[in-house]
Amino acid sequence: MKVLVLGGGGREHALCYVLSKSKDIAALYCLPGNGGIKQIAQTVSDISLSDFKGITEFCKKEKIELVIPGPEEPLVKGVKDVLEKAGIKVFGPSSFCAQLEGSKIFAKELMKEAGIPTADFKVFDNPSEAKKYIKKKGAPLVVKADGLCAGKGVFVCDTEEEALEAVKKIMEDKIFGASGERIIIEEKLEGEEASYIVITDGKSFKALPTSQDHKRLLDGDKGPNTGGMGAYSPTPLINQTLREKIEKKVIEPVLAVMREKGNPYVGFLYAGLMIANGEPYVLEFNCRLGDPEAQVILPRIKTDFLELVMAGLEGNLADFVLEESPEACVCVVMASKGYPGKYEKGKLITGIEKAEALPGVIVFHAGTKEEGGKFYTNGGRVLGVTALAPTLPEAINRAYEAVEKIQFEGAHYRRDIGHKAFKY
Ligand code: AMP
Ligand code: GLY
């Protein structure tokens, strides 16, 4: 089968990595891909990720039978709807279902309808009403823009002033444009964050290995939020009891409501959770795999990945056996100096081969570019240095051993990825 992956980050490198090992892969393409993906797939750099017509024509020309989108944006904008009209299979949700991530208000109202535990909230389309509400309620509060904001649309506010300022930025200064026309103000939840990701055919689902992301830039969960500075899998935070609660209280109801609406959700579904007193509360839904969660989850799936995806697409997940490796996996993100703010590109990266020579190490590329056999930085998150080992402490040590072999000017990484696991 000829398969095209959409996207060009670490998650997409991990997708290409597992797909390239699948037995039924005849050809693998990635649009746009990156320096690392180029080593295992044919990268396509002359078509934009938002040019669905161009993507459709490319698929027809190359006889591509299956498209797997990595990031949310094409899904929310309807890549599945457009490609499927042209007879090309897409593994991911329709634009209707992708609203679970594309509109926070859609997601919250659906959670309310389905009785899914989440923070209490109120929706506003007028800044003065929102400010009045903040003054009445008092801090702490969380202010969220409704639409996609590249992960920057959430303000966790510990003071009333911060919350008022967030409303001003989103609704009056319009820093997120139309994505901030409506906002949610919700109660702040306290607890431990975890991601629970499933693959679903709309009726049944299979939980992927559990994982935990490290969202803050600096050690000890300090500094600004990022796309994710590292992850590990499995996480002891999600034990069997909690797993059952998450499936009963979150996953099953959300899939049931989508079916009732006549739009079964097919694809990967990511629940961002806050675990408080042993109970799961949904912070957000994402309509895709996490990044860098995918980099630690996918290498732990022993089952042929294309077979798993095809079972999802064809409605055969109920009887599918998803085999998980007993090994632990850790991914340490190496980022450009300045990320998540402004950063420079084009720095020479050395040592990747030495890192990959270590047992169990895979270096997933995120923001890299290959030129003349050399790799250069080309984004904020540059590499996801990943290690599989029999135990979590061994995987952590191995990942950091690999990180130390890699150099580029201004490289920043956290030194405590995976350490959270030891406190549960
Ligand atoms: P979201 O994109 O909605 O998951 O929000 C991004 C981040 O903001 C989450 O990963 C949490 O760290 C934080 N956050 C969001 N909503 C809440 C909430 N209700 N209470 C506490 N923290 C939150
Ligand atoms: N790592 C968080 C996300 O992919 O949304």
Coordinates of all heavy atoms in Angstrom, one line a residue, residues 134 141-145 153-157 162-164 166-167 170 183-186:
I134 N -15.4 38.0 35.6 CA -14.1 37.8 36.3 C -14.1 38.5 37.7 O -13.7 38.0 38.7 CB -12.9 38.3 35.4 CG1 -12.7 37.3 34.2 CG2 -11.6 38.4 36.2 CD1 -11.8 37.8 33.2
L141 N -8.6 31.7 37.7 CA -9.5 31.4 36.6 C -8.6 31.0 35.4 O -7.5 31.4 35.3 CB -10.3 32.6 36.3 CG -11.5 33.0 37.2 CD1 -12.0 34.3 36.8 CD2 -12.6 31.9 37.2
V142 N -9.2 30.3 34.5 CA -8.5 30.0 33.2 C -9.3 30.6 32.1 O -10.5 30.4 32.0 CB -8.4 28.5 33.0 CG1 -7.6 28.2 31.8 CG2 -7.7 27.8 34.2
V143 N -8.6 31.4 31.2 CA -9.3 32.1 30.1 C -8.7 31.4 28.8 O -7.5 31.3 28.6 CB -8.9 33.6 30.1 CG1 -9.6 34.3 28.9 CG2 -9.3 34.2 31.4
K144 N -9.7 31.0 28.0 CA -9.3 30.2 26.8 C -10.0 30.8 25.5 O -11.2 31.0 25.5 CB -9.7 28.8 26.8 CG -9.1 28.0 28.0 CD -9.5 26.6 28.0 CE -8.8 25.8 29.1 NZ -9.1 24.4 29.1
A145 N -9.2 31.1 24.5 CA -9.7 31.4 23.2 C -10.4 30.2 22.6 O -10.0 29.1 22.8 CB -8.6 31.9 22.3
G153 N -3.4 29.6 23.1 CA -4.7 30.3 23.4 C -5.2 30.1 24.9 O -6.3 30.5 25.1
V154 N -4.4 29.5 25.8 CA -4.9 29.3 27.1 C -4.1 30.1 28.1 O -2.9 30.1 28.1 CB -4.8 27.8 27.5 CG1 -5.1 27.5 28.9 CG2 -5.7 27.0 26.6
F155 N -4.8 30.8 29.0 CA -4.2 31.7 30.0 C -4.6 31.1 31.4 O -5.8 31.3 31.7 CB -4.5 33.1 29.9 CG -4.0 33.7 28.6 CD1 -4.7 33.6 27.4 CD2 -2.9 34.5 28.6 CE1 -4.3 34.1 26.2 CE2 -2.4 35.0 27.4 CZ -3.1 34.8 26.2
V156 N -3.7 30.6 32.1 CA -4.0 30.1 33.5 C -3.7 31.3 34.4 O -2.5 31.7 34.5 CB -3.2 28.9 33.9 CG1 -3.5 28.4 35.3 CG2 -3.4 27.7 32.9
C157 N -4.7 31.9 35.0 CA -4.5 33.2 35.7 C -4.7 33.0 37.2 O -5.8 32.6 37.7 CB -5.6 34.2 35.2 SG -5.5 34.3 33.4
E162 N -4.5 39.3 35.9 CA -4.0 38.5 34.8 C -5.2 38.0 33.9 O -5.1 38.0 32.7 CB -3.3 37.2 35.3 CG -1.9 37.4 35.7 CD -1.4 36.2 36.5 OE1 -1.8 35.1 36.2 OE2 -0.6 36.4 37.4
A163 N -6.3 37.7 34.5 CA -7.5 37.2 33.8 C -8.1 38.4 32.9 O -8.4 38.2 31.8 CB -8.6 36.7 34.8
L164 N -8.1 39.6 33.5 CA -8.6 40.8 32.8 C -7.7 41.1 31.6 O -8.2 41.3 30.5 CB -8.7 42.0 33.7 CG -9.8 41.9 34.8 CD1 -9.6 43.0 35.8 CD2 -11.2 41.8 34.3
A166 N -5.9 38.9 30.0 CA -6.1 37.8 29.0 C -7.3 38.1 28.1 O -7.2 38.0 26.9 CB -6.2 36.5 29.7
V167 N -8.4 38.6 28.7 CA -9.6 39.0 28.0 C -9.2 40.1 27.0 O -9.6 40.1 25.8 CB -10.7 39.4 28.9 CG1 -11.9 40.0 28.1 CG2 -11.2 38.2 29.7
I170 N -7.1 38.7 24.1 CA -7.8 37.9 23.1 C -8.9 38.6 22.4 O -9.0 38.5 21.2 CB -8.4 36.6 23.8 CG1 -7.3 35.8 24.6 CG2 -9.1 35.7 22.8 CD1 -7.9 34.7 25.5
I183 N -14.8 33.4 23.8 CA -13.8 32.8 24.8 C -14.6 31.9 25.9 O -15.8 32.0 26.0 CB -13.0 33.9 25.6 CG1 -14.0 34.8 26.4 CG2 -12.1 34.7 24.7 CD1 -13.2 35.6 27.4
I184 N -13.8 31.2 26.6 CA -14.4 30.4 27.7 C -13.6 30.9 28.9 O -12.4 31.1 28.9 CB -14.0 28.9 27.5 CG1 -14.9 28.3 26.4 CG2 -14.3 28.1 28.8 CD1 -14.5 26.8 26.2
I185 N -14.4 31.1 30.0 CA -13.7 31.3 31.3 C -14.1 30.1 32.2 O -15.3 29.8 32.3 CB -14.1 32.6 31.9 CG1 -13.8 33.8 31.0 CG2 -13.4 32.8 33.3 CD1 -14.1 35.2 31.5
E186 N -13.1 29.4 32.7 CA -13.4 28.2 33.5 C -12.6 28.2 34.8 O -11.7 28.9 35.0 CB -13.2 27.0 32.7 CG -11.7 26.7 32.3 CD -11.6 25.4 31.5 OE1 -12.4 25.1 30.6 OE2 -10.6 24.7 31.7

